[in-house]
């Protein structure tokens, strides 16, 4: 699994990068074999103005499903990362479950014939 963390208009921080990597590994641990790549883009939308302007965009590439994209905004970059990665993992898990369920239905239909 390839993981990329990018910063845009936000000061790069080793601590924030490590936090993002840790969250990705924890949240995707149960289906890492399905994940080909994860890209996190962290940005500050309003600069020093304040407010809910830290953005985390997660692009999760799943081998059999394709891309899942999640955006999260928060005043705290760490919170934005946590929520975005959790949401991407839940979405990925749901898509993989649907794929497995449809394959079970297809297999059952073939056996019934």
């Amino acid at each position: 699994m390839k993981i990329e963390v990018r910063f845009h208009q936000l000061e790069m921080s080793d601590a924030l990068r490590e936090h993002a990597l840790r969250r990705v590994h924890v949240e995707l641990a149960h289906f890492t074999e399905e994940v080909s790549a994860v890209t996190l883009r962290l940005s500050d939308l309003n600069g020093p103005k304040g407010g809910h302007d830290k953005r985390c965009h997660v692009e999760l590439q799943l081998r059999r499903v394709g891309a899942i994209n999640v955006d999260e905004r928060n005043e705290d970059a760490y919170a934005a990362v946590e929520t975005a990665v959790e949401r991407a993992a839940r979405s990925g898990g749901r898509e993989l479950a649907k794929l497995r369920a449809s394959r079970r239905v297809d297999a059952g239909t073939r056996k019934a014939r």
Side-chain angles (χ1 to χ4, degrees):
M1 164 174 51
K2 178 183 168 190
I3 304 171
E4 210 175 323
V5 180
R6 299 178 184 170
F7 291 85
H8 180 69
Q9 295 180 343
L10 182 68
E11 187 175 325
M12 189 174 85
S13 157
D14 288 337
L16 183 54
R17 179 183 301 281
E18 288 303 314
H19 175 73
L21 293 172
R22 206 170 30 255
R23 295 310 308 154
V24 166
H25 285 292
V26 167
E27 292 295 332
L28 303 179
H30 58 287
F31 57 90
T32 55
E33 69 281 350
E34 292 288 343
V35 180
S36 58
V38 180
T39 303
L40 283 90
R41 292 179 186 90
L42 303 165
S43 57
D44 187 343
L45 301 174
N46 295 331
K49 295 178 189 174
H52 294 300
D53 64 340
K54 304 302 185 286
R55 176 180 179 240
C56 179
H57 177 86
V58 176
E59 182 178 331
L60 177 60
Q61 289 287 338
L62 299 175
R63 297 183 199 290
R64 297 184 295 156
V65 175
I68 293 174
N69 290 282
V70 173
D71 267 330
E72 184 64 35
R73 293 180 186 187
N74 196 300
E75 62 188 41
D76 178 43
Y78 289 86
V81 166
E82 283 196 30
T83 305
V85 173
E86 287 171 6
R87 288 178 49 213
R90 275 196 313 269
S91 293
R94 275 194 308 269
E95 292 301 319
L96 290 169
K98 282 189 227 176
L99 185 62
R100 284 190 292 272
S102 71
R103 288 188 176 185
R104 281 192 297 267
V105 169
D106 289 345
T109 304
R110 278 188 238 132
K111 289 178 184 176
R113 291 183 185 174

